């Protein structure tokens, strides 16, 4: 059963539409991520679910119960904040015990439960300290422990790792994932970091301007973007303006540069239609003589950049030499890789199945 | 315990030293009148002179054992403590409502509650006198307590409002989402975090009440005078040198209170 269900939920601030008729179901035990640029309505959606703000219209269900008019302290939710929001005047023990004390839990149960979650977050010895005596990462783990300790039906997290540095953030991502798997607790996680979303989520909701742009498993979103926004927001992409020539098993298009390319089958392949075609940099190869691809184009290498494990080549394919006009090729950086110098003529190749046809505006119908 | 660490090189630059010296001069200048009173309080029984030509504790004996000075002192303490407690009980929730509330016309409520600060004190005193006369509580202790509560509450509201603005609201949000009701959040989260501001506001209210002479002069009667009123009276009618001893004791009291406040603030 859906743990959280939103039914045509909208929130307006005067003329600003922060959230527009959103329908959504978060399944029990799911790790769901709200991903979107700044101002897309992520925090608004979380606050509506938590009950910190009232919806303009629509309803919120938690665990099957309509909570649209239930105050936040009666919704049985947990929340983890970016600034931790630990009580500075309480010890770590009392901080974690707080939700239990509010529920008038017996003392021995409080002791046992706090001990349990402190073990779970692997910080068993900090119970007597004050929050300011812990590092940022430790404080965030305490905040998580505090949200777990009373078994809420869902834990909401608004960019919980936003204040941590990259290394610690990655550790905490794994930690969160581990705790999620271990407890099977439902989590709704907000981030604007696409990598974080791809790493952690069972499903991702892509938000833009208060609307759900696309929703699905990370792989699905990455490999089947349903519009320019999704394609652009998740991962890197090479986009080309094109006109459809013919549809069918594959889609044949003619680009603005006059190249004929073959893309995968598409729902918008009426001949003559203006579209964009997109291919991910890691799906484009620099062709060796013994390889063959559905698409092959000539170009001249502008620059190559080594980014640790991967190498990015910028190739001029007739559009110009600026970085955003170049075709980007990404390949794994292996020892013995033939290095490619700027100015070299190369042939780029990729298959039709890796090339997507996208509408100039709006979204493709759900596949 | 978290140790309070001083940054390296702090209070060492010539600018910092200059600032310290200036501060001390200003401090001494302000304290000079009090320091003059101290030696005078150990003078003899006949007149107030500076510097005193003989040393005795006669004035202190007078204050503590001979006259009704102690009655006035105890009354002042009782009034100051009671009105401080009342001012806190009224002022802290009022400040909470003004800072955290979302109702319309909040600004006007705030302005109304602060208005006693703007009205000349003599007007307040006269108004209270006429009002309390009709209630029949002029010249009573409860009348004095109410009058001083009214006088100090706006200051408690101001300090509490400043304190509340420093209490991170996301802590209250967090408490609410974890299941705490309005009252639980207020008493378990907001109030403990507001303690330093309440302590400062309370001390301030205490000193203001203990010190207050105009309102107390209107409300008190001859049999029931607060310490400042009795001092004022004695300088008019008796020119008693005991005044020097009282002033010295008041100075010491203020110092003790301030040191207490400072040490408390350092701790929290
Ligand atoms: N209290 C408010 N009053 C008016 N407009 C608001 C208010 N809160 C949010 N908005 C507007 O609603 C929209 C969505 O805001 P929201 O805070 O949900 O964005 P977000 O996705 O969380 O962004 P970020 O990643 O920057 O946190 C924005 O356009 C914002 O300006
Ligand atoms: Mg936000």
């Amino acid at each position: 059963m859906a743990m959280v269900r939103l039914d045509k939920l909208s929130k307006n601030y005067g003329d600003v539409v922060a959230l527009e008729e959103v329908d959504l179901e978060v399944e029990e035990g799911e790790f769901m991520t709200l991903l979107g640029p700044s101002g897309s309505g992520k925090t608004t959606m979380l606050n509506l679910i938590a009950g910190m703000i009232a919806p303009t219209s629509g309803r919120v269900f938690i665990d099957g119960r309509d909570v649209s008019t239930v105050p936040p302290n009666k919704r049985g939710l947990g929340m983890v904040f970016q600034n931790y929001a630990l009580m500075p005047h309480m010890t770590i023990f009392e901080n974690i015990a707080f939700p239990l004390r509010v529920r008038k839990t017996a003392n021995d149960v409080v002791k046992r439960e706090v001990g349990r979650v402190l073990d779970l977050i692997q910080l068993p010895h900090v119970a007597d300290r004050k929050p300011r005596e812990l590092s940022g990462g430790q404080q965030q783990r305490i905040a998580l422990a505090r949200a777990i300790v009373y078994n809420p039906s869902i834990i909401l997290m608004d960019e919980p790792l936003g204040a941590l540095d990259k290394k610690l953030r990655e550790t905490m991502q794994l930690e969160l994932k581990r705790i999620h798997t271990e407890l099977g607790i439902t989590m709704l996680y907000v981030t604007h970091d696409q990598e974080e979303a791809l790493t952690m989520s069972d499903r991702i909701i892509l938000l833009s301007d208060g609307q759900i742009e696309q929703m699905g498993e990370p792989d699905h979103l990455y490999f089947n973007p349903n519009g320019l926004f999704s394609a652009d927001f998740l991962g890197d992409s090479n986009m080309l303006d094109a006109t459809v020539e013919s549809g069918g098993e594959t889609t044949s298009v003619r680009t603005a540069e006059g190249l004929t390319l073959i893309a995968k089958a598409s729902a918008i392949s009426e001949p003559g239609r203006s579209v964009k075609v997109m291919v991910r940099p890691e799906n484009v190869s620099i062709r060796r003589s013994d390889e063959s691809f559905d698409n092959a184009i000539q170009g001249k290498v502008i620059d190559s950049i080594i980014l640790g494990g991967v190498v990015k080549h910028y190739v001029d394919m007739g559009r110009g030499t600026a970085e955003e006009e170049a075709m980007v090729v990404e390949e794994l950086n292996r020892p013995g890789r033939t290095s490619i110098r700027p100015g070299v003529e190369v042939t780029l190749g990729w298959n039709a199945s890796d090339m997507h046809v996208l509408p100039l505006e709006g979204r493709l119908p759900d596949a | 315990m978290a140790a309070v660490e001083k940054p390296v090189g702090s209070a060492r630059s010539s600018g910092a030293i200059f600032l310290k010296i200036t501060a001390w001069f200003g401090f001494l200048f302000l304290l000079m009148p009090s320091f003059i009173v101290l030696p005078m309080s150990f003078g003899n029984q006949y007149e107030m002179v500076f510097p005193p030509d003989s040393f005795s504790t006669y004035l202190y004996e007078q204050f503590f054992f001979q006259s009704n000075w102690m009655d006035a002192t105890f009354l002042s303490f009782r009034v100051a403590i009671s009105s401080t407690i009342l001012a806190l009980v009224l002022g802290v929730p009022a400040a909470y409502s003004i800072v955290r509330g979302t109702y319309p016309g909040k600004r006007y409520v705030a302005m109304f509650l602060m208005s006693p600060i703007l009205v000349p004190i003599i007007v307040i005193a006269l108004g209270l006198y006429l009002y309390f006369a009709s209630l029949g509580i002029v010249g009573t202790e409860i009348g004095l307590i109410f009058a001083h509560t009214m006088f100090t509450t706006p200051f408690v509201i101001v300090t509490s409002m400043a304190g509340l603005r420093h209490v991170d609201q996301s802590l209250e949000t967090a408490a609410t989402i974890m299941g705490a009701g309005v009252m639980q959040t207020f008493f378990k989260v907001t109030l403990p975090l507001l303690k330093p501001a309440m302590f400062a506001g309370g001390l301030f209210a205490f000193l203001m009440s203990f010190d207050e002479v105009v309102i107390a002069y209107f409300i008190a009667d001859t049999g029931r005078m607060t310490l400042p009123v009795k001092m004022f009276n004695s300088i008019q009618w008796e020119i008693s040198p005991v005044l020097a001893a009282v002033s010295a004791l008041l100075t010491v009291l203020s110092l003790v209170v301030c040191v207490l406040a400072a040490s408390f603030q350092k701790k929290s």
Side-chain angles (χ1 to χ4, degrees), chain A residues 52 72-73 77 79 81 83 85-90 98-99 102-104 132-133 146 150, chain B residues 1-2 168 170-182 184-185 188-189 192-193:
Chain A
M52 296 314 299
N73 59 326
L77 302 166
M79 192 147 174
F81 298 82
N83 68 353
L86 297 175
M87 312 294 170
H89 59 293
M90 296 180 190
F98 185 86
V102 164
R103 287 168 175 72
K104 309 233 173 342
R132 65 169 178 276
E133 295 161 42
R146 186 178 66 170
Y150 57 109
Chain B
M1 276 280 108
D168 185 356
S170 70
L171 296 176
E172 293 167 4
T173 306
T176 309
I177 290 178
M178 286 187 286
V182 180
Q184 276 173 318
T185 304
K188 288 189 174 178
V189 180
L193 293 172

Side-chain angles (χ1 to χ4, degrees), chain A residues 213 226-228 268 273-274 276 358-364:
Chain A
E213 200 68 32
N226 69 350
L228 296 181
I268 52 164
R273 179 167 181 153
S274 292
K276 290 233 183 200
L358 300 171
L360 292 183
E361 53 188 51
R363 305 182 278 263
L364 289 171

Side-chain angles (χ1 to χ4, degrees), chain A residues 13 16 18 37-44 159 192:
Chain A
Y13 289 106
V16 182
S38 185
S40 56
K42 306 182 295 291
T43 300
T44 303
E159 308 211 20
H192 61 249

Side-chain angles (χ1 to χ4, degrees), chain B residues 2-247:
Chain B
V4 178
E5 299 283 347
K6 270 195 185 163
V8 175
S10 68
R12 260 198 220 153
S13 69
S14 58
I17 290 171
F18 175 75
L19 212 66
K20 263 195 175 164
I21 291 173
T22 330
W24 273 106
F25 265 111
F27 197 48
L28 284 178
F29 177 76
L30 290 174
L31 280 181
M32 203 49 91
S34 317
F35 284 150
I36 287 176
V37 159
L38 272 178
M40 273 165 68
S41 69
F42 290 104
N44 62 39
Q45 67 221 64
Y46 304 110
E47 50 183 347
M48 282 200 257
V49 285
F50 184 82
D53 39 23
S54 62
F55 177 88
S56 81
T57 56
Y58 172 80
L59 298 178
Y60 286 94
E61 282 160 30
Q62 279 282 306
F63 175 79
F64 282 110
F65 306 114
Q66 302 298 311
S67 58
N68 53 357
W69 280 98
M70 281 315 278
D71 296 342
T73 310
F74 284 132
L75 178 67
S76 272
F77 267 109
R78 285 199 304 274
V79 169
I81 291 171
S82 312
S83 63
T84 297
I85 292 172
L86 276 178
L88 283 171
V89 168
L90 293 173
V92 172
Y96 185 75
S97 152
I98 292 169
V99 175
R100 293 286 195 256
T102 51
Y103 48 90
K106 211 168 75 161
R107 280 183 42 215
Y108 301 100
V109 173
M111 232 142 63
F112 175 73
L113 290 175
M114 306 292 202
S115 56
I117 296 181
L118 307 173
V119 180
I121 191 155
I122 187 83
V123 176
I124 293 180
L126 185 64
L128 281 173
Y129 176 75
L130 294 174
Y131 179 47
F132 283 5
S134 73
L135 294 178
I137 52 172
V138 169
T140 63
E141 198 169 323
I142 199 82
L144 278 170
I145 292 172
F146 284 167
H148 276 181
T149 303
M150 195 239 132
F151 174 62
T152 54
T153 301
F155 293 92
V156 171
I157 294 180
V158 172
T159 44
S160 303
M161 276 171 67
L164 267 171
R165 295 215 170 89
H166 278 104
V167 173
D168 185 356
Q169 212 171 341
S170 70
L171 296 176
E172 293 167 4
T173 306
T176 309
I177 290 178
M178 286 187 286
V182 180
M183 285 298 172
Q184 276 173 318
T185 304
F186 182 74
F187 283 108
K188 288 189 174 178
V189 180
T190 315
L191 216 52
L193 293 172
L194 205 56
K195 241 190 235 156
M198 281 168 56
F199 191 76
L203 275 182
F204 197 43
F206 177 86
L207 285 180
M208 278 176 69
S209 163
F210 203 84
D211 214 34
E212 203 284 327
V213 64
V214 180
I215 296 174
Y217 194 79
F218 272 72
I219 304 293
D221 66 10
T222 39
R224 221 184 301 273
M225 279 189 279
T226 61
L227 194 55
V229 172
K230 184 158 171 61
M231 287 167 78
F232 187 64
N233 262 347
S234 80
I235 211 162
Q236 274 191 314
W237 307 115
E238 306 167 25
I239 323 182
S240 155
V242 175
L243 217 51
V246 181
S247 306

Side-chain angles (χ1 to χ4, degrees), chain A residues 11-14 16-19 36-47 53 82 158-159 190-192 207 209-210:
Chain A
K11 178 69 189 178
N12 302 352
Y13 289 106
V16 182
V17 181
L19 208 63
S38 185
S40 56
K42 306 182 295 291
T43 300
T44 303
M45 189 149 140
L46 228 55
N47 282 336
I53 52 177
Q82 181 174 344
D158 196 349
E159 308 211 20
V190 164
T191 181
H192 61 249
L207 269 185
D209 286 333

